[in-house]
Amino acid sequence: MREVLLLKCGELVLKGLNRGRFESRLLHILRARLAPLGDYRLSISQSTVYVEPQGDAPVGEALEVCRRVFGIVSLCCAAVCPKDMAAICDTAARYLNDELEHTRTFKVEARRADKRFPLTSPQIGAEVGARLLEEHPHLRVRMEGAERIVKVEIREQYAYVSGERLPGAGGMPTGANGRAMLLLSGGIDSPVAGHMMARRGLELGAVHFYSYPYTSEEARDKVIELARILSGWTGKLTVSVVPFTHIQQEIRDKCSEDYFTLVMRRFMMRLAERVARHQGCKALITGESLGQVASQTIESLNATGSVCRLPVFRPLIGMDKEEIVVRARQIGTFETSILPYEDCCTVFTPRHPQTKPKLENVEKQEENLDIDGLVEEAFAGIERITLG
Ligand code: ATP
Ligand code: MG
C-alpha cells in the first residue's frame, strides 16, 4: 500500500498576505530536512503539505523528521488509492484494521477537492463508515466527540485515507521571524529557552563560553551534544565556542568576590552581542528565570542586560523549574543536561554573591579591567562547530 504524509500547517493560515512567503519557507525547510533520507515530492494545498516518498524513500523516518519541524500543528500518514468507492473502502478497511480493533467510537469525515467525483462528501463518509462497521462490529459511530476521526480526501489524482493524527511541533517555520543568538550553557534551562524561541520562527545561532582547563573537554562535548539535539528541531545550528579562561582569571584577580558572577555574566552578554551582530542576529536568548539564582534577581538581570543594545529574550522568565524540566524532557535535552560536568559559571563561584547590585557599583568593579581588549581577544579565539 502506498503511503504519504499529510502535514497540517499551523499559524500560517492566519498570516494573510504573508502566507505565501511562510508556505514557501516551510516547503524549503522540509525539503532540506528530508533530503538526507531520500527523494520526496512536496506540494501544498489548503494548508496541508503532501509529502510523497519517491522510490524507496522511507515514510516512518520522514514522519519522525516532520514531527520536529516548526510550523506544523499536526500530521499523519495516509494511504493512497484510486478514486473509486470500492478501492477507497478496501483501503480504509485494510489500512485502519489494527488500529480500529482498539477503538470504540469513530466517524468518517470526507472531503472532495475534486468536485466531479460522483458522490458527495456525506455519501462518501456514509459508505466508508458502513464498511468499517461491517469489519469491526464493536465500533459505534459518534458524530460529536468520536475517539477517532477517519479522514477521506478525494483529490485530483488519488484518494487518501488518513491514519492516526499526531501532534506536530507547532509554532512558526524556522527563520520566519529572523535570527537570534542563544547563550547555550550545559544546563537544563538554555536549551529549552532556545527551543521555545526557535518555535516562534527564529533561526538560531548559539554561543558557548568555556574555561579550559577549569572546565573539562567533557563539559564542552556535552554542550555540543545539546546543540546536536537542538538541531533536530532547528535544522543546521552553529555553535561559536568562546575561550573564557583569561576573562575569568582577570575577574578573579581584579574584582571583589561578591561581584564575580555578575561581572562574568556581563562579559558573556557583551561577547554574545558581538557574535550576534557578526552573524546577523537581531536578539539574544538566555535561559534565565526570575529569582532562580542570585544572578537572576531583577537587579542582577538589569545589571547584566544593560551591557547590550540588542533585545534579550528570556522565555523562561516566568516559569518554574518543574515546568522547564517537563519541556526539557519533551525536547530530548534533559538526560544530557543533567550529566554532571561543571560549567564556567561554577568556576570561581562567590560564597556570598550580590543579589541586589547597584549598577554603578558593578561598573566600578570593572574599572580595572581592559573590557574591550578582553572581548577582542576572546572573540578572536572563537571556534565554530556546525551541527545538523
Ligand atoms: P542553564 O540551566 O541554562 O545553565 P542556569 O539556571 O544554570 O541556566 P546561569 O548559570 O545563571 O543559570 O546562566 C543563565 C543563562 O546564561 C543560561 O541560561 C545561559 O543562557 C547563559 N549561560 C550561562 N553559562 C553559559 C555558558 N557557559 N555559555 C553560554 N551561555 C551561558
Ligand atoms: Mg548554568
Side-chain angles (χ1 to χ4, degrees):
M1 201 175 327
R2 196 157 76 83
E3 270 186 303
V4 299
L5 296 180
L6 305 183
L7 318 177
K8 191 90 195 136
C9 304
E11 273 177 78
L12 352 173
V13 184
L14 307 173
K15 288 289 161 188
L17 288 176
N18 281 331
R19 180 164 150 185
R21 198 168 58 86
F22 275 52
E23 287 184 349
S24 59
R25 182 177 289 276
L26 184 61
L27 286 180
H28 175 78
I29 291 165
L30 284 165
R31 279 201 186 93
R33 299 276 292 275
L34 290 169
L37 298 181
D39 188 14
Y40 297 85
R41 187 179 302 152
L42 270 65
S43 59
I44 192 161
S45 137
Q46 295 179 322
S47 304
T48 302
V49 179
Y50 290 74
V51 180
E52 301 172 60
Q54 311 288 300
D56 56 3
V59 177
E61 286 168 50
L63 181 76
E64 285 313 308
V65 167
C66 293
R67 284 179 83 161
R68 287 162 184 260
V69 172
F70 297 123
I72 293 165
V73 265
S74 66
L75 64 170
C76 63
C77 293
V80 186
C81 65
K83 285 164 49 170
D84 72 71
M85 281 315 295
I88 294 171
C89 289
D90 283 348
T91 303
R94 264 199 304 149
Y95 190 54
L96 306 174
N97 186 52
D98 295 352
E99 192 200 327
L100 291 181
E101 280 300 303
H102 312 288
T103 306
R104 282 160 301 180
T105 59
F106 82 114
K107 84 168 176 182
V108 180
E109 267 182 20
R111 213 169 63 172
R112 287 185 308 166
D114 174 10
K115 299 293 181 205
R116 292 164 310 178
F117 192 75
L119 273 66
T120 64
S121 300
Q123 287 169 333
I124 302 165
E127 277 204 30
V128 175
R131 172 63 182 275
L132 294 176
L133 281 171
E134 222 173 82
E135 304 273 338
H136 303 276
H138 74 280
L139 279 177
R140 292 286 166 267
V141 176
R142 186 170 291 170
M143 298 318 272
E144 291 292 328
E147 215 176 288
R148 174 69 158 88
I149 297 173
V150 175
K151 294 204 173 173
V152 176
E153 207 170 336
I154 316 289
R155 305 220 329 148
E156 281 311 309
Q157 278 193 300
Y158 298 104
Y160 299 85
V161 177
S162 68
E164 207 170 346
R165 188 157 287 272
L166 302 167
M172 295 157 115
T174 298
N177 284 323
R179 236 178 110 73
M181 184 59 64
L182 169 67
L183 284 85
L184 181 63
S185 73
I188 296 170
D189 303 333
S190 44
V192 174
H195 182 271
M196 282 175 78
M197 295 317 300
R199 189 165 180 264
R200 291 311 300 162
L202 285 175
E203 188 180 346
L204 298 188
V207 63
H208 175 67
F209 302 93
Y210 82 110
S211 295
Y212 192 78
Y214 299 109
T215 60
S216 59
E217 284 287 339
E218 285 92 337
R220 193 184 118 115
D221 292 347
K222 169 180 161 179
V223 173
I224 302 303
E225 173 60 11
L226 286 172
R228 196 193 58 75
I229 298 169
L230 267 183
S231 73
W233 297 92
T234 61
K236 248 186 212 344
L237 176 61
T238 299
V239 187
S240 300
V241 182
V242 185
F244 209 52
T245 316
H246 189 202
I247 289 176
Q248 286 198 283
Q249 286 166 336
E250 283 288 294
I251 296 173
R252 177 196 57 192
D253 296 344
K254 295 183 180 157
C255 302
S256 56
E257 187 188 305
D258 49 342
Y259 285 91
F260 279 1
T261 310
L262 279 168
V263 175
M264 177 195 76
R265 302 266 318 127
R266 280 160 63 92
F267 270 98
M268 284 188 183
M269 299 306 274
R270 288 186 187 103
L271 270 154
E273 181 168 70
R274 179 80 210 272
V275 179
R277 288 188 191 281
H278 187 71
Q279 295 183 18
C281 296
K282 300 215 164 57
L284 303 180
I285 303 167
T286 75
E288 290 159 314
S289 169
L290 190 63
Q292 204 187 75
V293 287
S295 58
Q296 296 174 22
T297 62
I298 296 181
E299 292 81 358
S300 299
L301 290 171
N302 183 39
T304 47
S306 68
V307 293
C308 49
R309 302 280 290 273
L310 289 178
V312 181
F313 295 153
R314 301 179 176 94
L316 313 186
I317 198 74
M319 286 171 73
D320 293 350
K321 195 74 185 188
E322 290 76 14
E323 296 169 309
I324 299 169
V325 165
V326 168
R327 283 189 182 252
R329 286 188 193 281
Q330 284 167 353
I331 67 173
T333 52
F334 183 74
E335 297 300 329
T336 304
S337 286
I338 59 172
L339 293 174
Y341 304 118
E342 67 296 329
D343 181 67
C344 67
C345 290
T346 55
V347 179
F348 314 134
T349 312
R351 279 157 297 182
H352 303 290
Q354 285 285 337
T355 55
K356 289 188 192 310
K358 285 209 172 65
L359 193 52
E360 62 263 31
N361 293 342
V362 185
E363 284 166 350
K364 202 175 243 122
Q365 288 291 321
E366 292 175 346
E367 276 171 5
N368 296 325
L369 298 170
D370 172 15
I371 295 175
D372 293 345
L374 286 166
V375 166
E376 279 316 308
E377 179 193 308
F379 186 78
I382 286 177
E383 183 196 345
R384 290 220 184 115
I385 301 167
T386 299
L387 293 309

